[in-house]
Amino acid sequence: MSYAGPEFDPAPPPRPRRGRRALIAALVVALAAAGVAVQRVVTGGPGDGGRADAAPSSDSRGTASGSPTAGLKSPSPDGDSAPSVSSTARPPAGSGPLRGKVVVIDPGHNTGNAAHTAEINRTVRIGNGGKECDTTGTSTDAGYAEARFTLDVSRRLRTLLEEQGATVELTQDGDRPWGPCIDERARIGNEAKADAVVSVHADGSSAGARGFHVILPGTVTGGGADTRPIVGPSRELGERIAGNFVRATGSAPSDYVGDGTGLVTRKDLGGLNLSKVPKVFIECGNMRNSKDAALLTSGKWRQKAAQGISDGIVGFLGG
């Protein structure tokens, strides 16, 4: 599959920045015209706009309060910092092209799952069978946990989508000791009546395998599941994300699943089977591959990953 062409959205044009002198001059003129005596104009340096390694994050399912980690920064393996919580940096709700749209982001796994094996090992129904509530996820050979990766990318992604005016909810924001179970993750998206849901993951395949892939729901009916209404729109969402992910990150589609398309259809994932709204998973890379691991542990690359996923969602939602 080619990821170039009209089916994928062009990169958004960079926002022009006004220089310090121009900003001061504009402020002086405006104040003088209003008859206000100008004594001093103080300006700050340009912000990072949520890019690079300083993407602001928030907590407690899309709000900026209530989390025990609020206001804290956690180190990442390459010296980057995870996005810090900043309620004042959050854009006004519904003030962009995605105004009125609801997106649910599902950070895969939970760093606390390993300490709650009894809870995550219990079986839940997924429509066409049963599966464990959740798993611990994988990690790089150096011990960087998939759950840390998924939460970091999800927070960055939330910031980017909120800048576009979307209402964004996370299924977990480091605010619960384990889980949630896969059936609850699906239910959160359903109850939010989300226009799109993306579950963020990283794979744990063999060391020689590389690349990302997007997992699409197959047709599953029965046992409380009926994916028929969402198979088509979920594929469109997945194609948009795959194409934009290539462009934003420079990563290639998986060389071990998907026949080079970066798209895989599965019927054994409860988070997809039980969804009533368009939903996909993205495996952003293989944590067991040294080259992929170098990317996954880089804050700068994680920001690119979040940007690629965001661009795909925005394209799907027509923003």
Side-chain angles (χ1 to χ4, degrees):
M1 168 178 287
S2 171
Y3 292 115
E7 68 270 30
F8 300 112
D9 307 299
R15 296 179 181 176
R17 290 186 175 180
R18 302 176 67 181
R20 180 184 177 90
R21 291 182 180 177
L23 285 174
I24 292 175
L27 287 172
V28 170
V29 170
L31 291 173
V36 178
V38 179
Q39 297 179 346
R40 183 177 62 175
V41 177
V42 180
T43 61
D48 57 31
R51 297 180 181 274
D53 298 315
S57 99
S58 48
D59 53 289
S60 190
R61 293 191 185 175
T63 65
S65 62
S67 168
T69 59
L72 300 180
K73 288 186 178 181
S74 58
S76 60
D78 58 356
D80 299 316
S81 293
S84 60
V85 175
S86 175
S87 60
T88 59
R90 300 172 75 84
S95 59
L98 295 188
R99 178 180 179 181
K101 301 296 185 180
V102 177
V103 180
V104 171
I105 306 301
D106 178 26
H109 313 288
N110 186 317
T111 56
N113 279 359
H116 294 271
T117 55
E119 291 90 341
I120 68 170
N121 285 337
R122 69 181 180 86
T123 300
V124 298
R125 306 305 300 173
I126 65 168
N128 57 0
K131 207 161 187 178
E132 61 267 37
C133 154
D134 203 1
T135 64
T136 59
T138 187
S139 67
T140 66
D141 290 342
Y144 180 60
E146 179 186 1
R148 285 184 60 194
F149 169 83
T150 65
L151 186 56
D152 181 82
V153 171
S154 295
R155 287 171 169 171
R156 295 171 188 268
L157 176 55
R158 173 174 57 193
T159 297
L160 293 169
L161 291 169
E162 286 180 337
E163 288 174 351
Q164 298 294 318
T167 298
V168 184
E169 181 175 355
L170 267 61
T171 60
Q172 60 93 6
D173 196 8
D175 53 354
R176 50 191 299 164
W178 58 272
C181 293
I182 54 178
D183 56 343
E184 183 182 354
R185 291 173 186 266
R187 187 162 59 249
I188 290 169
N190 295 341
E191 292 178 350
K193 294 180 170 53
D195 296 286
V197 184
V198 176
S199 189
V200 180
H201 289 262
D203 210 0
S205 189
S206 61
R210 284 202 71 183
F212 78 92
H213 62 278
V214 179
I215 304 175
L216 315 174
T219 301
V220 176
T221 59
D226 185 358
T227 62
R228 289 174 296 182
I230 70 163
V231 166
S234 295
R235 172 168 284 275
E236 181 185 349
L237 172 62
E239 290 174 347
R240 293 274 188 174
I241 290 175
N244 283 283
F245 197 83
V246 168
R247 187 184 64 205
T249 66
S251 293
S254 168
D255 59 12
Y256 59 99
V257 292
D259 296 325
T261 67
L263 302 173
V264 178
T265 300
R266 290 176 59 174
K267 301 179 182 180
D268 63 328
L269 298 176
L272 295 180
N273 291 1
L274 299 175
S275 184
K276 308 296 183 185
V277 294
K279 182 174 182 177
V280 299
F281 281 45
I282 180 168
E283 300 279 2
C284 296
N286 177 20
M287 298 196 108
R288 296 297 185 177
N289 178 278
S290 60
K291 292 181 179 179
D292 274 6
L295 300 176
L296 297 165
T297 54
S298 163
K300 291 181 175 63
W301 188 89
R302 291 195 297 273
Q303 186 65 28
K304 292 178 182 179
Q307 187 68 61
I309 299 169
S310 173
D311 289 347
I313 294 172
V314 171
F316 173 72
L317 296 179

